[in-house]
Amino acid sequence: MKTYRLKIKSHSSFLTPWQADTIFGSLCWIMAWRKGEDALKQFLEEYKKGNPLFVLSDGMPGDFLPAPAHLSLMSPKADSFEGYQNAKKLKKVSWLTPDEFESVRNGKLDIQQQEGIKTFKTFTTLHSSINRITGTTGDEGSLFELEEYAVESKLETISIYLKIRDGWEDKAFSIFKDLSLMGYGRKKSIGKGSFEIVGELEPFNKFDDFKGANGFISLSNFVPSKNDPTEGFYKTMVKYGKLGGEFTFSGNPFKKPLVMLTTGSSFYVKGKMKHFYGRMIEKIAPSKTDVVHYGYAFAVPMFIENL
C-alpha cells in the first residue's frame, strides 16, 4: 500500500464530522449507485476478510495532525510545579503542526504547546420545521437547533490521507470526485457539506516506517480486531450511527451503539508494523443485517517511549 493525501475545499458548513467511518459509508453509497449492489458486495468482502483496498484517515484541518493520546506523559518527569504545569498544558494540545508531529513520532517533544490553536469552528443555527398540512412555519414548538461546523478560513482545506492498494488509485479518486458532486453528510440537499477536490491525489511519504519505530498512532477512529496490539494509550467514544441512502426509510434507520477508539490512540507493536489495524463490524443494523460498519485504523508508525 502507498500513502496519498487528498485535499478538499469546503463551500459551506458541515453538519456531519469528517470521520473515516462516515466518509467510507458515503463512498459505499456512491459505489452502489454507480456500479450496483453486487459490485459493492464484492468490494466490501475484501474488507470483511481483513484485506481492504484502501484505508482512510479522518478529515484533518489544513496540514495539522492529531496529538497522540500519550502526549502529556512525554513531558520530562519533574517533581516541581513547572513540570506539572507543562504536563497540564500538553494535555490540552489536540493538534500538531507537521514538524511537531514528526518530532513526536520520533519520540521527541519539540512542540510549542499551542493548546489554543484554531482548527474547526462550531456554531449553532436556529431552524423552523414546516407544517406539512399548511406548508407554513411558526407553529408552537417548531423551532429547533442544528450544530454546524467549518474549517477555519485561514486553513482553507481539509486533508484526508489514504493508503491505497496498487491499482486502486484512480478508482478511489473517482469515487471521491463523485462524492464531491453530491455533497457530504446531513442536509446536503440544501447545500450543506458542499466541497470540491483541490488538485489530484498527492503521493505522501511523511508517514513511512523508520528504524526504531515500536508502535503506531491512528489517524482515524477504529475498532480493534482480536489480534491487534492491546498495550497503549487511547480514549473511547460511542458512535450512534445511522443508515444512509435508501436505507434511511427502512423503518429503523439506527445502528447499534458502537464503542470506538478515537483518533490519536497509540499502541506498542511487537514484530512487523502493519499499514492498518482494526476491522469491519458486521450485523450492526437491526433492520439491515447485511450492513457493515468501517472500523479500520489508519496507522502511522512511531516510537513510543516505555512510559
Side-chain angles (χ1 to χ4, degrees):
M1 283 183 146
K2 296 178 181 177
T3 303
Y4 298 85
R5 177 165 66 174
L6 185 73
K7 288 186 177 181
I8 66 174
K9 184 175 182 179
S10 61
H11 295 309
S12 70
S13 57
F14 298 95
L15 278 78
T16 301
W18 283 91
Q19 296 177 345
D21 53 338
T22 310
I23 299 171
F24 184 83
S26 300
L27 297 177
C28 285
W29 275 109
I30 294 293
M31 181 172 291
W33 291 327
R34 190 170 71 173
K35 297 291 186 179
E37 185 177 341
D38 290 340
L40 177 62
K41 286 183 177 180
Q42 292 177 8
F43 172 77
L44 290 175
E45 196 61 36
E46 293 295 305
Y47 285 81
K48 291 178 355 184
K49 291 177 181 177
N51 191 29
L53 300 169
F54 58 82
V55 293
L56 304 163
S57 77
D58 288 358
M60 307 293 171
D63 293 331
F64 286 99
L65 293 160
H70 67 280
L71 183 65
S72 63
L73 299 178
M74 294 176 64
S75 181
K77 308 295 188 297
D79 296 327
S80 67
F81 181 72
E82 183 180 359
Y84 168 77
Q85 287 290 86
N86 286 337
K88 189 175 181 180
K89 288 179 180 179
L90 286 172
K91 201 168 186 178
K92 296 179 181 178
V93 174
S94 299
W95 299 101
L96 303 175
T97 66
D99 288 342
E100 291 171 340
F101 184 82
E102 187 62 20
S103 168
V104 171
R105 197 163 82 94
N106 283 273
K108 302 174 183 177
L109 198 58
D110 186 15
I111 70 171
Q112 299 301 313
Q113 301 183 14
Q114 41 192 335
E115 68 268 18
I117 192 168
K118 295 181 179 180
T119 53
F120 291 112
K121 53 185 176 183
T122 59
F123 51 94
T124 301
T125 55
L126 199 60
H127 299 260
S128 182
S129 59
I130 298 175
N131 186 311
R132 301 303 176 185
I133 298 176
T134 64
T136 61
T137 62
D139 293 344
E140 184 177 353
S142 65
L143 292 177
F144 63 95
E145 294 181 342
L146 287 177
E147 185 175 73
E148 305 183 27
Y149 79 103
V151 68
E152 285 287 343
S153 56
K154 289 183 179 180
L155 299 179
E156 294 187 349
T157 61
I158 294 173
S159 296
I160 300 173
Y161 300 92
L162 301 94
K163 292 185 179 184
I164 308 177
R165 191 194 297 181
D166 289 346
W168 257 84
E169 294 87 353
D170 290 343
K171 296 175 184 176
F173 184 71
S174 177
I175 301 172
F176 266 101
K177 287 287 286 185
D178 285 352
L179 180 62
S180 71
L181 299 176
M182 295 191 62
Y184 170 77
R186 294 174 59 199
K187 302 292 184 180
K188 55 180 173 282
S189 61
I190 62 171
K192 297 299 180 183
S194 174
F195 71 95
E196 67 173 297
I197 295 175
V198 179
E200 302 290 329
L201 271 180
E202 172 190 340
F204 194 85
N205 60 6
K206 295 183 180 179
F207 295 156
D208 291 349
D209 200 357
F210 61 93
K211 186 177 181 180
N214 65 347
F216 73 90
I217 176 175
S218 177
L219 301 192
S220 61
N221 301 328
F222 73 104
V223 178
S225 68
K226 64 179 181 180
N227 295 320
D228 281 352
T230 56
E231 184 182 359
F233 309 89
Y234 57 88
K235 294 179 181 179
T236 61
M237 64 171 289
V238 180
K239 189 79 178 227
Y240 296 95
K242 290 181 66 177
L243 299 173
E246 293 92 278
F247 289 175
T248 304
F249 310 103
S250 62
N252 178 10
F254 298 102
K255 297 180 180 180
K256 299 174 184 177
L258 178 66
V259 177
M260 304 186 78
L261 305 188
T262 60
T263 302
S265 295
S266 51
F267 287 86
Y268 295 100
V269 173
K270 295 179 180 179
K272 186 177 180 180
M273 201 78 62
K274 296 170 60 177
H275 288 290
F276 54 84
Y277 295 87
R279 61 189 173 94
M280 298 297 279
I281 297 86
E282 301 186 51
K283 298 182 179 179
I284 187 71
S287 63
K288 294 288 182 180
T289 55
D290 56 338
V291 166
V292 294
H293 192 98
Y294 180 89
Y296 280 103
F298 185 105
V300 176
M302 71 181 307
F303 172 77
I304 307 175
E305 188 178 353
N306 192 9
L307 300 169

